Amino acid sequence: MKRTVFTVIIMLILVIFLASCGWKVEIVDPTEQIENEQKIESGEEQNYSGRIIKEISAEKTDTSVLTEEGFGYGIGSQIPFQWIDEEKALVFSYYSEDPFVGESFSVKIFLFDSAKNEISFIKEATFSNSCSVSVYSKGDEAKVVFGSKLFAYIISINTETLEISEKNLEYPGFSCSPNGTFAKIMEGFIEIGDVENPEETSELIKIGENYEIISWSPDSEYILLQNESSGSDYLICNIKTGNMVYFHSNGIKKWCGEKGFFVFTDYDEETGKTKSGIIDLETGETEEREYIESAVLYEKEFIIYRENNDICVKEHSTGKIHRIENVLDGRFYYTAENFNFENSSVVLASYGVDEADFRLVKIEWEE
């Protein structure tokens, strides 16, 4: 009892000392979920440490194969694009006879080779109902998993020969990670296992009720979940440790290309402004980043945004802006797809009706 009283006194003295030194002190009850929620702390000046961009190049990609095969997308949606290794990515084109009913749902699969800077058509898959599409790699094969609550189906693509094989999976209703791990919510727990060997469930992680899986991190170590009741409360779960990071967002939510970081935006009702924050998933700390309304990609080191028909890359460390001039040609829809941290490149895509323009943007950093 005496030791407990002594400990409390020491903690109070420490809090008073830190507060007098200008530190923001917050006492948190770890048993209360809401107290662990990440909020963006703003300051008068934002000084970021990080790498400095030396040069940016943008090379146009021949996208005629997209038009030849019939390029489809949801108006205003992003082009689904997923890196599968350092040089290659899969690109998807969606068609739906009735997007509200979900009948006659089809997906066209293309392979993008950044070394050759070319796109190849692979296959079109058609389903009676809409479904989720996930991608993971195993050896020299890219695995495309189609799934719903009722079925799961996988297409394996040899990324060298472009040969394919297909099979049904017996365990529907899961979310697939970039390394072939599945996650499925069962009565307030996340069930973790292998997509192609679902009977070998590895572990269960308790998360509570009313959560649904939104996406996996690129390194397959974290899962983003949304609270279905609130719609704007999220948690990021580390599947190895079970640690959780809670945050609130009513805007962008995206994994960074650099491992261990997550970016989100949120509207602040007190100030009437939208803020952007980056979460360090190892420490759980959130740091404010510059918010730009026309931004299409937030990353740890930079932000990509539109200015008229130009695309700008602004580095956080210095505030320097690198401009890629007149690449949008008046097109309204555009996106920068999934920064590849391994080769420091990102695909800039602008598109209109039945057409798409790809630019492979490569970033060279100062040593």
Side-chain angles (χ1 to χ4, degrees):
M1 180 67 181
K2 291 182 178 180
R3 179 176 297 180
T4 301
V5 174
F6 178 75
T7 301
V8 171
I9 294 173
I10 292 298
M11 289 179 66
L12 288 174
I13 293 173
L14 180 60
V15 168
I16 294 171
F17 172 74
L18 291 174
S20 67
C21 294
W23 288 68
K24 182 179 179 179
V25 179
E26 183 178 6
I27 301 176
V28 176
D29 181 356
T31 64
E32 295 294 332
Q33 175 175 318
I34 191 63
E35 296 297 332
N36 291 320
E37 181 180 337
Q38 296 300 300
K39 297 181 179 180
I40 306 171
E41 299 295 337
S42 61
E44 294 182 0
E45 296 183 4
Q46 297 296 325
N47 296 311
Y48 310 118
S49 60
R51 295 183 295 171
I52 297 175
I53 297 174
K54 179 180 180 181
E55 185 178 357
I56 292 181
S57 61
E59 185 178 359
K60 185 177 175 63
T61 303
D62 182 4
T63 57
S64 59
V65 66
L66 292 174
T67 305
E68 292 169 1
E69 296 297 335
F71 177 70
Y73 57 91
I75 295 297
S77 67
Q78 294 187 343
I79 297 175
F81 181 101
Q82 181 66 54
W83 290 100
I84 53 179
D85 60 30
E86 186 174 336
E87 294 184 343
K88 296 177 181 178
L90 292 182
V91 181
F92 298 91
S93 173
Y94 294 107
Y95 286 87
S96 181
E97 181 179 314
D98 187 338
F100 298 100
V101 178
E103 295 181 350
S104 187
F105 176 80
S106 65
V107 182
K108 291 184 178 180
I109 308 170
F110 302 84
L111 179 71
F112 174 72
D113 189 324
S114 65
K116 299 177 181 178
N117 196 25
E118 65 181 23
I119 301 173
S120 302
F121 174 68
I122 303 297
K123 179 182 174 59
E124 180 176 6
T126 302
F127 304 92
S128 58
N129 297 95
S130 61
C131 57
S132 65
V133 182
S134 305
V135 176
Y136 71 95
S137 299
K138 182 174 288 186
D140 59 356
E141 287 190 326
K143 309 278 189 172
V144 184
V145 181
F146 304 90
S148 70
K149 293 182 179 180
L150 301 176
F151 75 93
Y153 182 75
I154 186 169
I155 296 178
S156 300
I157 304 168
N158 186 302
T159 57
E160 296 297 328
T161 66
L162 304 189
E163 295 178 345
I164 65 172
S165 60
E166 308 172 47
K167 70 175 181 178
N168 291 311
L169 299 177
E170 298 179 357
Y171 195 60
F174 60 79
S175 176
C176 177
S177 80
N179 72 355
T181 300
F182 79 75
K184 185 173 183 177
I185 295 180
M186 301 286 288
E187 299 179 349
F189 288 82
I190 301 177
E191 182 180 351
I192 305 294
D194 184 274
V195 167
E196 297 182 67
N197 298 287
E199 65 281 357
E200 299 178 7
T201 302
S202 61
E203 59 183 306
L204 295 172
I205 302 172
K206 186 176 181 179
I207 57 168
E209 300 293 338
N210 299 322
Y211 278 99
E212 65 174 343
I213 298 172
I214 302 300
S215 64
W216 283 83
S217 64
D219 60 12
S220 303
E221 293 185 7
Y222 298 89
I223 299 175
L224 172 66
L225 301 108
Q226 180 183 30
N227 188 306
E228 295 179 283
S229 299
S230 70
S232 55
D233 292 316
Y234 296 83
L235 66 82
I236 298 175
C237 173
N238 185 319
I239 66 167
K240 292 184 177 179
T241 65
N243 293 338
M244 308 282 183
V245 175
Y246 297 87
F247 68 97
H248 181 278
S249 174
N250 46 36
I252 293 171
K253 294 162 283 290
K254 195 168 183 67
W255 304 100
C256 289
E258 185 165 349
K259 179 179 178 179
F261 292 90
F262 186 89
V263 172
F264 69 100
T265 61
D266 193 27
Y267 178 76
D268 190 331
E269 294 183 354
E270 294 182 2
T271 63
K273 296 180 179 180
T274 300
K275 297 180 180 180
S276 171
I278 182 169
I279 304 175
D280 184 330
L281 297 178
E282 184 175 345
T283 64
E285 297 179 352
T286 298
E287 182 178 303
E288 185 178 2
R289 283 288 192 264
E290 179 181 9
Y291 171 76
I292 299 178
E293 186 175 359
S294 63
V296 67
L297 184 67
Y298 290 89
E299 273 294 329
K300 181 176 181 293
E301 306 282 0
F302 61 87
I303 183 173
I304 297 180
Y305 64 96
R306 177 176 187 169
E307 190 172 275
N308 299 318
N309 284 343
D310 299 343
I311 284 292
C312 301
V313 182
K314 184 175 183 179
E315 59 188 40
H316 292 309
S317 58
T318 66
K320 183 178 179 180
I321 297 173
H322 304 260
R323 187 180 297 272
I324 306 172
E325 297 183 348
N326 200 32
V327 296
L328 297 177
D329 299 326
R331 294 188 182 94
F332 182 77
Y333 303 112
Y334 69 101
T335 180
E337 288 292 339
N338 295 346
F339 177 58
N340 187 334
F341 185 74
E342 298 300 323
N343 65 7
S344 292
S345 63
V346 61
V347 170
L348 169 66
S350 59
Y351 49 104
V353 178
D354 296 327
E355 63 177 355
D357 180 80
F358 279 18
R359 311 273 173 154
L360 179 62
V361 179
K362 294 186 176 181
I363 300 174
E364 183 180 348
W365 304 92
E366 296 280 5
E367 295 295 334

